[in-house]
Structures are given as C-alpha cells and as structure tokens.
Amino acid sequence: MKINTNYQNLKDNYLFAEIARRVNEYKANNPSADVISLGIGDVTLPLPAACVEAMEKASAEMGTTEGFRGYGPDHGYEFLSSAIQNYYKRFNVSLELKEIFVSDGAKSDVSNILDIFSADNTVLIPDPVYPVYLDTNIMDGRKIVFINANEENDFLPLPDKSIKADIIYICSPNNPTGAVYDREQLKAWVDYALDNKAVILYDAAYEAFISDPDLPHSIYEIDGAKKCAIELCSLSKIAGFTGTRCGYTIVPFDLKSGDISLNAMWLRRKGTKFNGVPYIIQRGAEAVFSDEGFKQCMQNIDYYMQNAKLIADALDELSIKYIGGKNSPYIWLKCPGGRKSWEFFDYLLNNANIVGTPGAGFGENGEGFFRLTSFGSRENIIKAVDRIKKLDF
C-alpha cells in the first residue's frame, strides 16, 4: 500500500483550532464573561419558510407510491436547473440547462472540479485566501503560485502578465476580505485566461449580497467568460443552506481544452462519483428561486447587511480602515495601533469579549488585518458594537 504523500505537505488547520483553544481558555478563566462571536462564517437565521414548506411537501411525496423518487439525474432535477437558469436571466446571462450541475455545495465542487485537471497544471491563488483553494491543490501536488492581494490594490489583485498559470481562483465577493471585482477588473482576468489558455474557477458563493447595480453577480456577465470560466455557487449564504447542503456549478459548452469539452468531462465525473443531491433538498432549493422564496431570502440578507452597516458605522466613527461590509457580509479591517492579527484577537477577546478571525490565518498578506462577520443576532451585533466603541485603540 502506498499513500498520497502530498497530504504530508498540508499544514494543520491551525487557524480555527487556535481560535477555539484561546476562546475556551478565556471562558474557563472567565466563566461569567458574555463572549460574542463575530468570527463565524455560518448563517444564524432560520431557513426561509418557502423552502421549509417545499421540503415538507417533498417529504410527503416520497412517502407515496406515486411521488417516490430514487436516483435522480446526474445534472440535478430539471425543475431546479430551470429555476437557476431563470435566476441568471436577472443578470442577462443565458445558460443551457445542461450547463448547470446541481451539487451538495460549493466547497465540495471547488475540490471535486480538480478531478478533471492534470496535476501538472500551475495554479494561481490570491493571498489572503479561502483555505480550501490552497489545500485541495496541495493534496494533488500541483505547483502553486500566489498573487498578492493587499492594501495597495484594495485586496483586488489584477493579472501579472509575467506569471503563467493554468488554473486561476477568483472569489468575488471575497472571503475573507469582502472585496468585490467590478466589470473592468473581471474583464482583465478573462482576457488573461484566454491569452494563457487557462481556466478561471470563479467562486460566486456570496453574489446575493451584492447590492451595487454596477457590480457583476456572475463572471458570465463578462464577454468571453464562457470560453474560460467555471462558476461555482452555493445556497448556503443566499438561503441559509449551510446545514441543508445544496449548490451548483456551471460548466459552459464553450469551455474546451482543444477539442475536449470540459462540460462532458465534468458530467462523466459526476455520474461516476456522485449520486446527486436528495430530491427533498432540491425541492427546497427550487423554492429559493420562487417569487416568495427569493423575497424571504433577501429579507434575511438585508438583516445581515444591516448588521454589517452597524459594524461599519462604528469603525467609521473610530477612524478604523476597512473594506467589505457593503456588498459582502465580511468586514476586513486594519488592526488599529499597528497591532498584528493575533495580538488584536487577544486584545478584542480580553477587553471586549468579542471573537473575530485573525487575518494572518488566511495568508501572509492577511497579517495586520482582521475579519469580522455580520452573521449574528441583531442583539449581539448591537452589544458588540457598543463594546468596540468603548475600547481605547
């Protein structure tokens, strides 16, 4: 037996393990402390009623001879693909039904999509970065090149023509920084990918948080993108499906390597390794895109974005620099007083009983920055903001 020794190159999941250790130690020493977490990337509001009702109805169907369903289609049920297809028409993006693949979430497909690419590709990843992009490529033994996202470029790096890459990761709105690419910036990346015969893996998990009408929700709003980009999206944030698990990946028919269709490759991979998202969950997902379901989803998103505004207003009042919080649920702030990320983590925990995420955990360029999230109750957000305002930075 031989193992994949690339796993030995992975670092321990230091970031969240260390956060948990420090928080648990603090709580043990301060049992009466009211600790508020603004570090989680998980939603907290209940599922939209329309989704719950759809899943209840689907559950009842499965208990009847007429309504029972076994294995579903490889792509996902057409009723859900059609709903997603219609959703993209909001952005003037036209998709074929069989370009849409239903999955159990963007995190799975961000990893699984790599099955159709050779391990000898060079991968371009921004720093700071969502850890899954990095770790999944380390597991496969690919060469990884980083592009700097930093304060100078507002954490929105543009292509460097001196770098040759085959697979490019873009996340917009970005996790962890909350930065969002505009059309001109995305066009630069599309042109770069076409020139290099590269593929963009475009993570659009947070697109529903975009309120600025001038900002793109999909990379396919950019000319040429269907020839060089795969888009991955999730219902985890738009509809609170973090525990329900459903998302989708778009692989256009125009995306090819020579004469080989990546759509056909992904369909073959899906049919071999995945039996699909449960019918009940797909009915709940379909309800997300109904008029009433979408209205309820946007009410939840508005709630989180009002939370984000409360945090952002407090930072403005304190003259603390940050990005995000306007078209994203994440606020990426520069640690006041020149503190390092973990130093600020300890300061915030000990002096305000607030937990956030040190930027250094997302890469070298995250040092000196800190991520706060708006996923929390209004009561806790208000309390946290009041505590932050009383700190002496």
Side-chain angles (χ1 to χ4, degrees), residues 12-24 342:
D12 291 336
N13 193 352
Y14 170 77
L15 175 61
F16 296 106
E18 180 61 13
I19 288 174
R21 187 193 69 77
R22 295 192 189 201
V23 171
N24 290 335
W342 281 105

Side-chain angles (χ1 to χ4, degrees), residues 86-368:
N86 289 330
Y87 178 66
Y88 270 74
K89 290 178 182 177
R90 294 170 178 256
F91 317 132
N92 295 316
V93 172
S94 176
L95 298 174
E96 299 293 331
L97 286 179
K98 291 194 175 181
E99 293 178 318
I100 302 166
F101 296 83
V102 176
S103 73
D104 61 352
K107 184 175 183 178
S108 296
D109 275 3
V110 161
S111 171
N112 294 334
I113 197 72
L114 294 173
D115 281 2
I116 67 173
F117 298 108
S118 169
D120 62 4
N121 283 295
T122 297
V123 180
L124 184 62
I125 298 178
D127 176 351
V129 66
Y130 178 48
V132 173
Y133 305 159
L134 177 61
D135 289 351
T136 51
N137 281 285
I138 290 175
M139 290 172 180
D140 286 348
R142 291 187 183 85
K143 178 183 177 182
I144 297 168
V145 177
F146 292 100
I147 187 166
N148 290 321
N150 52 39
E151 195 172 5
E152 287 69 36
N153 57 31
D154 295 321
F155 290 92
L156 292 169
L158 293 175
D160 181 344
K161 293 183 179 179
S162 68
I163 298 174
K164 174 68 174 72
D166 306 300
I167 300 171
I168 303 156
Y169 282 86
I170 297 177
C171 179
S172 181
N174 186 268
N175 179 14
T177 69
V180 187
Y181 279 108
D182 62 26
R183 295 175 192 278
E184 184 179 349
Q185 292 166 327
L186 280 187
K187 177 61 174 166
W189 277 112
V190 168
D191 290 345
Y192 170 85
L194 291 171
D195 289 343
N196 285 277
K197 294 182 173 59
V199 64
I200 296 171
L201 300 183
Y202 188 78
D203 186 343
Y206 296 92
E207 61 81 15
F209 287 83
I210 296 174
S211 59
D212 186 335
D214 294 327
L215 294 174
H217 288 250
S218 167
I219 197 167
Y220 301 125
E221 296 178 56
I222 310 302
D223 288 342
K226 286 188 176 181
K227 294 183 178 180
C228 65
I230 293 172
E231 183 160 300
L232 306 106
C233 204
S234 168
L235 301 187
S236 289
K237 302 306 190 292
I238 183 177
F241 272 45
T242 51
T244 311
R245 307 312 305 148
C246 192
Y248 54 89
T249 292
I250 299 167
V251 186
F253 290 134
D254 288 345
L255 183 57
K256 297 180 179 180
S257 176
D259 294 329
I260 300 173
S261 165
L262 269 65
N263 180 285
M265 290 183 69
W266 184 235
L267 176 62
R268 185 68 174 86
R269 189 270 175 205
K270 292 274 283 189
T272 301
K273 293 190 175 184
F274 186 58
N275 268 336
V277 177
Y279 170 74
I280 295 167
I281 301 299
Q282 291 196 49
R283 279 298 187 190
E286 178 193 24
V288 170
F289 302 105
S290 68
D291 289 342
E292 184 58 30
F294 190 71
K295 177 183 175 182
Q296 292 169 6
C297 289
M298 294 312 296
Q299 286 172 345
N300 285 356
I301 287 177
D302 287 345
Y303 179 93
Y304 293 132
M305 293 312 297
Q306 288 171 26
N307 285 349
K309 186 176 187 306
L310 288 172
I311 297 170
D313 286 348
L315 298 179
D316 286 336
E317 186 177 325
L318 295 167
S319 299
I320 296 175
K321 293 182 179 180
Y322 68 93
I323 60 173
K326 293 180 174 63
N327 295 286
S328 163
Y330 296 122
I331 296 93
W332 182 254
L333 65 94
K334 187 172 184 178
C335 298
R339 294 177 177 87
K340 292 189 173 182
S341 298
W342 281 105
E343 183 184 356
F344 187 65
F345 175 91
D346 289 335
Y347 176 83
L348 208 57
L349 178 59
N350 285 280
N351 292 278
N353 295 168
I354 294 171
V355 178
T357 309
F362 296 103
E364 291 183 9
N365 288 335
E367 181 59 87

Side-chain angles (χ1 to χ4, degrees), residues 32-89:
S32 62
D34 177 21
V35 176
I36 296 173
S37 177
L38 299 184
I40 58 169
D42 196 359
V43 294
T44 53
L45 293 175
L47 290 173
C51 299
V52 175
E53 291 166 7
M55 287 188 282
E56 288 175 341
K57 180 180 178 182
S59 296
E61 285 181 53
M62 292 289 279
T64 67
T65 302
E66 301 77 18
F68 176 78
R69 288 168 172 80
Y71 295 122
D74 291 340
H75 280 85
Y77 286 99
E78 187 171 319
F79 61 76
L80 179 52
S81 297
S82 295
I84 295 168
Q85 180 188 52
N86 289 330
Y87 178 66
Y88 270 74
K89 290 178 182 177

